[in-house]
Amino acid sequence: MATPPATLDRVARMPFATVYPLYVTKVEKKGRTRAELDAVIQWLTGFDDAAIAQHIAAQTTFAEFFDAAHLHPNASLITGVICGVRVEEIEEPLMQRVRYLDKLVDELAKGKAMEKILRAPAA
């Protein structure tokens, strides 16, 4: 599924620091912790706590954030619907990565076990 260019541009320019507090609020309202949120972000991006903090302080855009990330090899195992769109059908790499993160945050907020959120291939 293609994302309209204006939407893609808006998301690319959006600072990660703008969205991070919203993620924190979402997961904490559902009884999860910032540490769990950071673990999910670290799994997806390869960033450690210091790198996440630096991206927040630097007001890194989503485009810059995901350009610097080393996406987890199992990220393609993230499937399902977010905002009415199947994440595995999103054509633009940046938008797909943003939606991967959104999907993981949603799963965390819904109480899914960390072992299930941090995908591993089927044995």
Side-chain angles (χ1 to χ4, degrees):
M1 176 172 188
T3 303
T7 301
L8 188 58
D9 183 58
R10 182 176 46 82
V11 170
R13 290 184 291 113
M14 186 179 304
F16 174 72
T18 302
V19 179
Y20 182 78
L22 302 174
Y23 289 154
V24 172
T25 300
K26 181 175 189 166
V27 300
E28 287 181 344
K29 276 176 47 177
K30 298 294 186 165
R32 301 306 285 259
T33 67
R34 179 182 293 226
E36 289 173 310
L37 171 64
D38 289 348
V40 166
I41 295 170
Q42 290 168 7
W43 178 87
L44 180 64
T45 64
F47 296 139
D48 59 14
D49 287 334
I52 293 170
Q54 193 242 343
H55 283 291
I56 292 169
Q59 294 286 309
T60 303
T61 65
F62 264 124
E64 296 164 336
F65 182 79
F66 280 108
D67 280 347
H70 298 286
L71 219 59
H72 194 281
N74 292 340
S76 63
L77 298 176
I78 301 169
T79 60
V81 177
I82 188 81
C83 298
V85 177
R86 294 204 67 80
V87 294
E88 60 271 27
E89 294 175 2
I90 297 172
E91 294 174 7
E92 296 80 11
L94 173 62
M95 188 58 78
Q96 187 174 52
R97 291 173 180 159
V98 170
R99 293 304 186 192
Y100 280 165
L101 181 55
D102 289 343
K103 182 70 175 164
L104 296 177
V105 171
D106 274 2
E107 290 176 355
L108 183 63
K110 289 179 180 174
K112 195 169 187 180
M114 288 296 283
E115 298 78 36
K116 300 232 184 229
I117 296 169
L118 308 181
R119 272 109 171 133

